[in-house]
Amino acid sequence: MPKSKRLLEMMMTVNRKRRFTVSELANEFGVSRRTILRDLQELSELGVPLYSEVGPHGGYHVLKERILPPIAFSEEEAVAIFFAIHALRHHTSLPFETESSSALNKFYQFMPPDIRDRIDQMKRRVDFVTPKRQASSPHLPTLLDAAIQQKVLSITYETRGQQSTREIQPIGIYTKNGLWYSPAYCYQQKDIRVFRCDRIHDVVPSALTPLDLRDIHLENRQVKTVEDQDTVHLFAELTTEGVQACEAELWLASMLHVRQDGSGWLEGNVLRSDILFFAKFLIGLGKEVSVQHSPEIIDGIKAYLAELMSIYSQ
């Protein structure tokens, strides 16, 4: 077996085994122990995180951060991946900030010179702009891990200048307009709420038993939230411009319907506790929306408009 192929297969083997001895690898690859030791040295120089232990129960370990085997990309795939990572630089906080920067540097350095030159030119021609925010969200990795592992967290959360302790079970994290949000089940409210991540100041594990929220995720959380709760039905016609404005709102995805001509409508159940929130949003759409149902939402719009009129009529 050619050495290059052996090294590639050995990289995949040690990632899979996690713990092994030189003799095991020598038998598996049909080479001498001396050859395996040289190969392991080369893998270590390539970045595979190997750790050796001496003694009767010794051997080699692969540390927690494994190295993936090489993957062949086409030129267009490589450029697409580069700019997907490059676009993240506008965010003040990321759940994998250090890793994304390291990956981008590795990716760029190992590209052929002509592709690097092409990328350098494209960096001056294309960008994915996100508003710069001063607020940081240092707990993104912990929130994301809790959502994946189904963990409950005790957080210190700030609203209107006041701090309180909440027990939450995150569903996920998402970013919008430069800010990060985490929909989570709030044990105090006994419902799913959305928390701004930059307002979360302290995070520690909670002793509460997690709920089984594996079937709830970012795409269906609104539907799951309003089931079997006190709601009103919303139906509103949208112009083309109204559709485009609603498309920018992730939380409206389950309600938004689009016709072939570009117009559309909003339809779905709204929690009574969210009527004021929806009223404010719909007012912001101006003449691009026409709310036809429900009376409660229409009354909410009228009441809020009356409050605004009272401010400017003095």
Side-chain angles (χ1 to χ4, degrees):
M1 178 187 298
K3 179 181 178 181
S4 58
K5 184 179 180 180
R6 187 177 70 247
L7 286 175
L8 178 58
E9 290 190 7
M10 191 176 297
M11 181 184 296
M12 293 186 287
T13 298
V14 299
N15 270 313
R16 184 182 70 251
K17 287 179 174 293
R18 308 291 292 161
R19 182 187 179 102
F20 55 90
T21 66
V22 173
S23 297
E24 290 174 352
L25 292 184
N27 292 333
E28 185 169 343
F29 287 92
V31 295
S32 67
R33 288 171 50 87
R34 181 176 296 181
T35 299
I36 291 296
L37 288 172
R38 286 199 301 265
D39 289 348
L40 291 175
Q41 178 64 33
E42 290 196 36
L43 289 182
S44 180
E45 292 173 356
L46 289 171
V48 178
L50 296 174
Y51 173 73
S52 62
E53 290 183 348
V54 297
H57 302 290
Y60 281 84
H61 298 260
V62 180
L63 300 182
K64 184 178 180 181
E65 294 185 357
R66 294 179 292 180
I67 300 296
L68 298 178
I71 303 174
F73 293 107
S74 69
E75 179 177 335
E76 295 303 321
E77 288 172 336
V79 171
I81 293 173
F82 178 89
F83 279 98
I85 303 175
H86 183 64
L88 299 176
R89 75 193 188 284
H90 292 298
H91 291 278
T92 304
S93 303
L94 289 170
F96 27 72
E97 188 167 355
T98 303
E99 293 84 354
S100 62
S101 176
S102 174
L104 192 65
N105 290 334
K106 287 182 181 179
F107 212 65
Y108 182 81
Q109 293 300 324
F110 283 96
M111 286 183 181
D114 60 318
I115 298 182
R116 287 206 301 268
D117 291 342
R118 181 185 173 193
I119 286 176
D120 290 340
Q121 290 297 321
M122 291 181 68
K123 285 164 65 175
R124 304 185 184 98
R125 306 281 188 252
V126 61
D127 203 355
F128 307 89
V129 177
T130 298
K132 287 283 188 180
R133 300 286 187 175
Q134 297 301 317
S136 63
S137 302
H139 303 295
L140 294 179
T142 304
L143 293 167
L144 180 57
D145 178 70
I148 296 171
Q149 302 295 332
Q150 297 278 287
K151 298 177 182 178
V152 181
L153 302 175
S154 178
I155 66 171
T156 302
Y157 192 67
E158 180 178 343
T159 54
R160 299 183 180 90
Q162 301 294 320
Q163 292 190 0
S164 61
T165 300
R166 309 278 191 96
E167 307 285 336
I168 67 169
Q169 185 172 336
I171 293 170
I173 58 174
Y174 67 88
T175 181
K176 177 187 173 185
N177 295 329
L179 293 173
W180 284 91
Y181 300 85
S182 177
Y185 182 85
C186 178
Y187 283 78
Q188 280 82 351
Q189 298 294 327
K190 301 188 185 316
D191 195 8
I192 295 176
R193 292 288 187 264
V194 178
F195 297 87
R196 257 185 54 177
C197 297
D198 59 293
R199 294 177 178 171
I200 299 176
H201 296 291
D202 294 299
V203 176
V204 295
S206 170
L208 293 179
T209 302
L211 299 174
D212 186 359
L213 302 181
R214 287 173 295 179
D215 64 331
I216 302 179
H217 47 77
L218 294 181
E219 295 180 359
N220 71 356
R221 61 186 173 85
Q222 280 92 8
V223 177
K224 298 291 184 180
T225 300
V226 300
E227 287 181 351
D228 302 322
Q229 296 193 48
D230 188 15
T231 63
V232 297
H233 188 72
L234 168 67
F235 183 87
E237 286 286 346
L238 297 168
T239 65
T240 301
E241 289 77 10
V243 168
Q244 293 171 353
C246 291
E247 285 176 333
E249 305 296 334
L250 178 65
W251 52 274
L252 279 177
S254 62
M255 290 187 176
L256 180 61
H257 306 270
V258 184
R259 302 185 180 95
Q260 289 186 348
D261 64 358
S263 66
W265 71 96
L266 291 173
E267 185 172 15
N269 292 326
V270 175
L271 292 171
R272 287 187 182 275
S273 58
D274 288 340
I275 286 178
L276 179 58
F277 173 82
F278 271 84
K280 292 179 179 180
F281 173 76
L282 294 168
I283 288 172
L285 295 180
K287 295 187 294 183
E288 311 307 328
V289 63
S290 173
V291 180
Q292 300 179 6
H293 200 275
S294 72
E296 292 91 340
I297 294 178
I298 295 174
D299 289 343
I301 292 173
K302 291 179 180 179
Y304 190 69
L305 287 173
E307 289 183 26
L308 292 178
M309 289 295 294
S310 67
I311 295 174
Y312 296 103
S313 61
Q314 298 176 359

